[in-house]
Amino acid sequence: PGHAKGDVISLDALEVVGSSDIASVYYMDICGQPTRWDGSLCEGDGPYTDPLPVGNYDVALIADNGDGETATIVAVEPLTVTAPTIKNFVTEAGYTSVKLSWDAFDGAEKYTVQIFDENATEVYMKNIFGTSVNVKGLDFAANYTVAIKAMNGKTRLSPLSTYNFTTKAYSTVEVSAVASTTNVKLVWNAVDGAAKYRVAQKIDGAWVAVKDTYDTAVYVKGLDAGTDYEFAVMPIAADKSRMAASYDDVSIATATAAAATINVTVTKKNDTMAVAKWDAVEGAAKYQIAVNGVIVKVTPLTASWVTGLVEGDVIGVRAVDANNSPLCEYSSYTF
């Protein structure tokens, strides 16, 4: 310290660790000792090329004057040495997850990975013994900071590096429901990025998954007639993470299982004809009229003539949806 270009210094002030007719490469710490990266003293002959410790230095080219006593500083340049960092760190953010990967760091036994939310609260911390990790359970459409350092035992090999990422936002799921006496048909819009959909039913106040499907429609069976139900559909990404925080954050469909039968009134007009009238059923596209279990007429109306009857014939009426799926059982009237 304190020397500049052109100064003549004593060779006794230097501890040469290597020399050459062309140049000598070495460095001194504040104690006048050549020091390795790990703090041990360097030994041996030849140009010294081990990494310098992190810090600020003056790099000098010193020419031996040949008198065995002095040398002249030919050039002095400042040098700042920074620690090597982890290379090629990649974040692949999903909806409620993120995949982290990086290049192996020389000498590292493990990597300490931390994730912080927007409030600087740590939401994840783990020592990883490979070069990648999948982290789940994050919020959707949220900003995070990930910090990573290379470790060997308790010794840190690299400075703490930080990176930012944002999880994806999900698309709205609009669900419609049409129920019969024992099942409900759910239909919803396709969601960009969804690999499949998980259908859940609210049971005793809690959401319970009942079916996974790759389609945008599904039948849920085993309902009780005249009972109200709630259903929700959760989009699932390719990495198997949910695309929303909870079922309460997606569209919820309410369905009421139809009564076991509909109320039908049959008025006899003569010995072979009658007029049947019935109550409208929600979600019905049409109504099937059967005589002795055989469908004889289909109508979108809630009343119809029934002809060709004989005494003892059983007239039945039931509602069906657009796909001819029954929404209730046949009512029964004996002519």
Side-chain angles (χ1 to χ4, degrees), residues 249-272:
D249 293 314
V250 297
S251 174
I252 298 173
T254 301
T256 301
T261 60
I262 55 177
N263 184 35
V264 178
T265 300
V266 177
T267 302
K268 183 178 179 179
K269 294 300 183 179
N270 57 39
D271 290 342
T272 61

Side-chain angles (χ1 to χ4, degrees), residues 265-267 274-278 287 289 296-299 301-307 315 317:
T265 300
V266 177
T267 302
V275 174
K277 297 181 180 180
W278 52 89
Y287 301 88
I289 304 170
V296 296
K297 200 168 191 179
V298 178
T299 177
L301 306 177
T302 56
S304 177
W305 283 91
V306 185
T307 61
I315 302 171
V317 179

Side-chain angles (χ1 to χ4, degrees), residues 103-249:
D103 286 351
F105 191 92
D106 188 32
E109 171 199 14
K110 60 187 176 182
Y111 304 86
T112 299
V113 177
Q114 298 167 279
I115 296 179
F116 301 88
D117 64 15
E118 293 176 317
N119 299 317
T121 301
E122 184 182 80
V123 297
Y124 177 87
M125 195 286 288
K126 193 172 183 180
N127 288 320
I128 307 301
F129 290 86
T131 56
S132 66
V133 63
N134 286 309
V135 180
K136 298 182 179 181
L138 305 177
D139 292 333
F140 62 92
N143 298 317
Y144 292 94
T145 298
V146 57
I148 184 171
K149 58 187 176 183
M151 303 289 294
N152 190 341
K154 295 182 179 180
T155 302
R156 185 172 70 181
L157 301 182
S158 72
L160 194 68
S161 301
T162 59
Y163 306 87
N164 298 319
F165 67 90
T166 302
T167 51
K168 296 179 181 179
Y170 72 96
S171 301
T172 301
V173 184
E174 297 294 339
V175 186
S176 62
V178 177
S180 69
T181 54
T182 58
N183 64 75
V184 62
K185 183 180 181 181
L186 303 173
V187 180
W188 58 90
N189 60 289
V191 175
D192 185 32
K196 63 178 180 180
Y197 303 90
R198 182 159 297 151
V199 179
Q201 177 183 336
K202 183 168 280 190
I203 300 174
D204 296 330
W207 289 108
V208 178
V210 294
K211 182 174 289 189
D212 282 8
T213 179
Y214 297 98
D215 299 320
T216 54
V218 72
Y219 278 94
V220 180
K221 300 179 180 179
L223 307 183
D224 294 327
T227 304
D228 295 333
Y229 293 91
E230 283 186 291
F231 297 94
V233 177
M234 174 68 71
I236 305 296
D239 64 0
K240 299 182 181 180
S241 63
R242 294 181 176 184
M243 293 170 62
S246 71
Y247 287 103
D248 290 318
D249 293 314

